Amino acid sequence: REGYDYVQGGSLKNTLQQFYQTQNLAEVYFKLKKYNNAIEYSNEAIYFNMLTHGKPMSSGDSILVNFRKPSAIYINSASKYYLTDNKSPEELKQYLSQIEEALAILEQRKKVVTTHSDVTILINQNEKLFNFAKKIRLELYELTKDENYLDQVISLHESAIYNRIRSRLNLRDIVSFKGVPTEVLKKESQLKNNLISTLQNTEEINNYIAASEKWDAFVKQLESDYPEYYKMRFGTVVQPIKDLQDKIPQNTTVVRYLYIEDALYAFIVTSAVKKLTLLDDTIVAGNIEQLAEEDFSVEKKSKLLYELYMALWKPLEENIKTKKIIIIPDRELFNLSFEMLTPKPITDFKEFTTNSLLSRYDISYNFSLLLYKDKQKIMNYPENYVGFVPGFGKEMKNEYKFGLTDSMEIDRTYLTLLPQPFSENLVKKYSKVFDGTYFTNENASKSIFLKNAKEHKIIHIGTHAESNNITPELSRLVFAKQSAKQVEYDENYLYAYEIYNIDLSSNLAILTACETGKPTYQPGEGAISLAHAFNYAGSESILTSLWDIDEVSSTQIVSYFYKYLAEGLPKDEALKLAKLEYLSTAEGRGAAPQYWAGLILIGDTSPIELQQISNAHWWWIAGVILLGLLIIFILNRNKASLP
């Protein structure tokens, strides 16, 4: 209140400072649930640069005020909502109209996002506005039973994911995207910088308008010339999902978990059914956190998994009639492997083979309904297989260490990475089985990966990974260090933001590394992960890990997985059978879910047409033998015919 009173007069009147203090006061009253006061001051903030305060506001400040108004609009609309009992559909539609106005302003503001603080504010405002818009539409659906409102709830939720991803990627000028020429990206950067610089001119608004028009024209051209890139960076915030059911096969159920404010819902959709169910998530976050603990007690795990089953799956069961399930998690559910949930408490880890969702369904995952909806034709790549395993053996590390002339340049974290001999043996074996190639030890470098990974049916990467939960686009895969002198410190790290600019077209990418699939779900963070980056880079599906995985168990499961893929099974069914086969042979705590449940399949589940070299070799050998016999026969016949 003192800050607000202070800026009402003197040199700060009709300035950005006065606007911020007005909006701050509105937010304080809103948090105190003094909604009438919140409405009064949020109204003042909304109409701030339209009021007459004597000295005119500069054009640049006027634009910045407008960009910051969504928060005031949210406070105004939400305050009216909480003051109204027994809300009618007409009143709810009025609140919704206000929120849509705020969302339109946010779309404009994305043009000039330049700093980390701007991104944080933008994401937070998006979260509040999207959540409130979802809440209003959900109430309209419950009051009117109009399924259009339900579709809009789901569409808003999916669009919020893209907003968070874009907000992070738009901040980094160093992010490039495959298929987009360098000159186009340079022009984009130049136009955006011009637009931002016009805001610094407090005298002339026409420069901003002209720069904004050029930017809009450029983005429209991107939509025509590079539609995939346009969709990723600039496409419409809210995308319809009405035709989603037409994309779902007859034998598949999609389960989309979503939070609307603090309430957890499950949206179940098949080709014929569409239903939203409210869930009790009281124990969900705590149970998932406890599951992550290094505890191999069957009794403790049994209780946690059964309770999660009752909370997350039991309420949906009567609507799930198919064997194939696609699960799209939200928030902390991204850290849960649903396959290990049990309909009855277990007394032995071996019971997972008969008493679990793993035993009942073929389960795969995705990040978004929109990703599933946009599934394209499955490609048939000419090459079967390529594998990359740095190995991180002692000899390789020594060559790296002794190759450096300056000990200050040594990456000591790299020297502590655990060796991966089982992963190395796996790719060597299956590169022969699938008539492919592999790169191990110092040959599994970042540069060699970039040159050789694309256009294979399977890309296998067995390495270490580092998740970054603060800035997820800086999560990275670790490749082999080059032993040559004068190499850059980070030359062996492949960051998530770099993957967007790489052609990794494949039917399946296998990332047997620690936490490669784990997105961030903390407030203000987006669902950006290495797995999402691979999806954009062209990998139709990804086999990845939710947590730190044991190398021995993971290579055994992947080996079984390859065997079933070679038999022509769909990827989700192949992974299920691989886990069941692993469990049938695992001993002691090796059957605990920490050892097998973390490997999950994200994306397309179609079979892969793989030609095994073992069969090809026999045909080739048989052909050579037959050809040799034919030549001998002809030579003998010619000799017999000579006088």
Side-chain angles (χ1 to χ4, degrees):
R1 165 61 67 178
E2 289 179 3
Y4 173 82
D5 290 340
Y6 179 79
V7 297
Q8 293 304 304
S11 61
L12 295 179
K13 190 175 183 63
N14 205 26
T15 63
L16 278 176
Q17 286 80 2
Q18 184 184 0
F19 169 78
Y20 292 149
Q21 291 296 339
T22 304
Q23 188 158 268
N24 288 344
L25 195 55
E27 186 168 356
V28 168
Y29 278 123
F30 182 73
K31 289 182 179 295
L32 293 172
K33 298 184 179 180
K34 295 184 177 182
Y35 296 123
N36 285 315
N37 298 99
I39 291 171
E40 176 188 351
Y41 290 101
S42 61
N43 268 329
E44 186 176 333
I46 290 169
Y47 299 106
F48 183 80
N49 55 345
M50 298 181 186
L51 302 176
T52 302
H53 293 286
K55 183 181 68 173
M57 176 174 279
S58 70
S59 57
D61 285 355
S62 178
I63 295 168
L64 291 174
V65 163
N66 192 58
F67 282 162
R68 297 286 178 136
K69 280 186 179 179
S71 181
I73 294 173
Y74 163 73
I75 290 169
N76 191 269
S77 181
S79 296
K80 293 174 183 174
Y81 171 88
Y82 290 122
L83 283 173
T84 307
D85 296 324
N86 302 317
K87 304 166 190 68
S88 67
E90 288 70 28
E91 288 171 313
L92 291 172
K93 288 176 185 177
Q94 283 185 332
Y95 307 146
L96 197 56
S97 177
Q98 275 189 288
I99 294 302
E100 287 173 346
E101 178 187 349
L103 289 173
I105 295 172
L106 282 175
E107 277 292 284
Q108 291 298 312
R109 187 179 172 190
K110 285 193 301 184
K111 298 177 184 178
V112 291
V113 171
T114 57
T115 67
H116 189 275
S117 61
D118 280 346
V119 169
T120 301
I121 292 170
L122 189 65
I123 291 174
N124 287 338
Q125 289 179 349
N126 267 284
E127 285 295 311
K128 289 189 295 186
L129 290 167
F130 272 104
N131 279 329
F132 189 59
K134 285 188 289 183
K135 181 183 178 73
I136 299 299
R137 284 186 165 92
L138 181 59
E139 288 193 36
L140 282 167
Y141 167 66
E142 291 169 343
L143 284 173
T144 66
K145 304 304 178 187
D146 184 347
E147 285 199 352
N148 285 324
Y149 289 118
L150 177 57
D151 287 345
Q152 290 168 12
V153 170
I154 305 302
S155 180
L156 273 168
H157 188 81
E158 303 307 314
S159 300
I161 294 172
Y162 277 87
N163 264 302
R164 292 195 296 270
I165 293 171
R166 288 171 178 171
S167 296
R168 286 294 180 191
L169 294 179
N170 286 344
L171 182 61
R172 296 189 172 274
D173 291 334
I174 55 176
V175 180
S176 297
F177 293 81
K178 71 181 181 73
V180 184
T182 303
E183 59 269 20
V184 173
L185 295 173
K186 285 182 178 178
K187 184 176 180 181
E188 176 188 321
S189 179
Q190 181 183 8
L191 289 173
K192 184 174 182 179
N193 289 335
N194 289 343
L195 181 62
I196 294 166
S197 66
T198 59
L199 288 177
Q200 300 171 359
N201 185 341
T202 60
E203 303 297 330
E204 184 57 64
I205 196 172
N206 290 334
N207 291 337
Y208 171 78
I209 294 173
S212 184
E213 288 175 349
K214 287 182 180 179
W215 173 260
D216 291 338
F218 172 77
V219 171
K220 187 174 182 180
Q221 190 64 42
L222 279 179
E223 182 179 11
S224 173
D225 296 344
Y226 308 100
E228 185 179 0
Y229 175 68
Y230 166 82
K231 178 186 171 184
M232 180 65 188
R233 298 294 295 273
F234 308 108
T236 305
V237 171
V238 180
Q239 300 189 29
I241 61 166
K242 282 186 177 181
D243 59 342
L244 172 64
Q245 287 180 283
D246 296 334
K247 308 286 184 179
I248 300 175
Q250 292 290 329
N251 65 339
T252 302
T253 300
V254 178
V255 181
R256 185 354 143 198
Y257 290 93
L258 67 156
Y259 278 91
I260 299 177
E261 292 192 331
D262 291 325
L264 176 61
Y265 293 84
F267 178 60
I268 303 105
V269 57
T270 69
S271 57
V273 175
K274 189 164 52 177
K275 184 177 177 62
L276 188 71
T277 301
L278 176 64
L279 303 174
D280 180 3
D281 74 328
T282 308
I283 56 90
V284 170
N287 280 28
I288 292 175
E289 186 176 350
Q290 290 182 65
L291 282 174
E293 297 174 1
E294 288 294 330
D295 186 326
F296 299 97
S297 164
V298 176
E299 183 180 358
K300 184 176 180 180
K301 297 294 184 187
S302 173
K303 180 177 182 293
L304 297 172
L305 294 173
Y306 174 66
E307 287 178 350
L308 285 169
Y309 169 85
M310 296 301 293
L312 298 173
W313 201 260
K314 180 65 175 176
L316 319 179
E317 264 188 338
E318 63 179 19
N319 296 300
I320 297 177
K321 310 295 184 184
T322 66
K323 182 182 178 184
K324 289 186 178 294
I325 307 293
I326 299 171
I327 294 175
I328 306 174
D330 197 17
R331 295 191 190 174
E332 46 271 298
L333 296 182
F334 271 114
N335 293 332
L336 177 65
S337 174
F338 282 76
E339 296 145 280
M340 59 185 179
L341 304 188
T342 59
K344 298 177 183 178
I346 60 173
T347 58
D348 189 290
F349 286 139
K350 288 284 189 179
E351 293 179 37
F352 282 119
T353 58
T354 56
N355 178 27
S356 66
L357 296 192
L358 172 69
S359 64
R360 289 188 178 187
Y361 305 105
D362 300 339
I363 295 177
S364 63
Y365 297 81
N366 217 322
F367 285 115
S368 167
L369 279 170
L370 296 179
L371 289 175
Y372 182 68
K373 169 179 175 276
D374 292 335
K375 185 184 72 171
Q376 299 177 350
K377 181 180 178 181
I378 303 303
M379 298 296 293
N380 185 19
Y381 296 103
E383 301 295 332
N384 270 350
Y385 184 89
V386 63
F388 302 88
V389 180
F392 305 109
K394 183 177 180 180
E395 183 179 344
M396 187 181 87
K397 291 176 183 175
N398 284 337
E399 285 185 9
Y400 157 70
K401 185 168 58 175
F402 296 134
L404 294 173
T405 56
D406 186 353
S407 61
M408 295 297 292
E409 295 179 354
I410 292 179
D411 184 344
R412 301 191 182 280
T413 301
Y414 178 79
L415 297 177
T416 64
L417 294 173
L418 292 175
Q420 297 178 311
F422 295 96
S423 296
E424 187 174 341
N425 292 336
L426 181 70
V427 298
K428 287 180 178 179
K429 174 182 176 180
Y430 281 94
S431 66
K432 293 179 181 178
V433 172
F434 296 142
D435 191 18
T437 56
Y438 66 86
F439 300 89
T440 60
N441 300 320
E442 65 276 2
N443 289 323
S445 65
K446 176 181 175 180
S447 59
I448 290 177
F449 172 78
L450 297 179
K451 291 177 183 176
N452 295 279
K454 68 178 181 179
E455 296 186 355
H456 287 79
K457 292 175 181 177
I458 298 176
I459 303 172
H460 185 123
I461 308 168
T463 185
H464 292 285
E466 299 173 10
S467 292
N468 189 319
N469 290 329
I470 305 302
T471 50
E473 68 274 22
L474 294 183
S475 295
R476 60 190 187 180
L477 292 170
V478 186
F479 286 90
K481 289 278 192 185
Q482 298 177 1
S483 57
K485 298 178 181 180
Q486 303 302 322
V487 294
E488 295 180 10
Y489 181 78
D490 282 338
E491 101 287 344
N492 66 314
Y493 294 120
L494 180 64
Y495 290 90
Y497 72 80
E498 293 180 284
I499 295 172
Y500 288 92
N501 191 33
I502 301 171
D503 184 356
L504 295 177
S505 47
S506 63
N507 299 128
L508 173 66
I510 294 183
L511 310 180
T512 54
C514 302
E515 298 185 344
T516 48
K518 183 179 179 179
T520 56
Y521 57 85
Q522 299 167 344
E525 300 296 331
I528 299 174
S529 69
L530 290 168
H532 181 274
F534 267 79
N535 181 273
Y536 180 86
S539 295
E540 294 164 3
S541 56
I542 302 100
L543 180 69
T544 187
S545 54
L546 291 176
W547 52 69
D548 291 356
I549 55 175
D550 176 73
E551 190 200 6
V552 177
S553 62
S554 66
T555 52
Q556 286 179 341
I557 293 171
V558 173
S559 181
Y560 296 143
F561 177 62
Y562 280 152
K563 179 183 71 172
Y564 290 115
L565 280 182
E567 293 176 5
L569 293 180
K571 302 186 199 80
D572 53 351
E573 186 178 350
L575 183 58
K576 168 189 174 176
L577 293 176
K579 289 180 176 180
L580 290 174
E581 185 167 351
Y582 167 78
L583 282 168
S584 69
T585 60
E587 298 294 337
R589 73 178 192 178
Q594 290 99 315
Y595 286 87
W596 58 268
L599 284 175
I600 65 167
L601 180 72
I602 299 174
D604 179 76
T605 63
S606 303
I608 302 176
E609 295 183 11
L610 290 165
Q611 177 64 50
Q612 295 189 63
I613 187 59
S614 54
N615 292 334
H617 256 153
W618 284 114
W619 282 110
W620 183 82
I621 292 169
V624 171
I625 292 172
L626 287 173
L627 180 60
L629 290 173
L630 180 61
I631 292 171
I632 291 170
F633 172 77
I634 293 172
L635 290 174
N636 288 337
R637 189 177 66 176
N638 289 340
K639 286 181 180 179
S641 63
L642 291 173

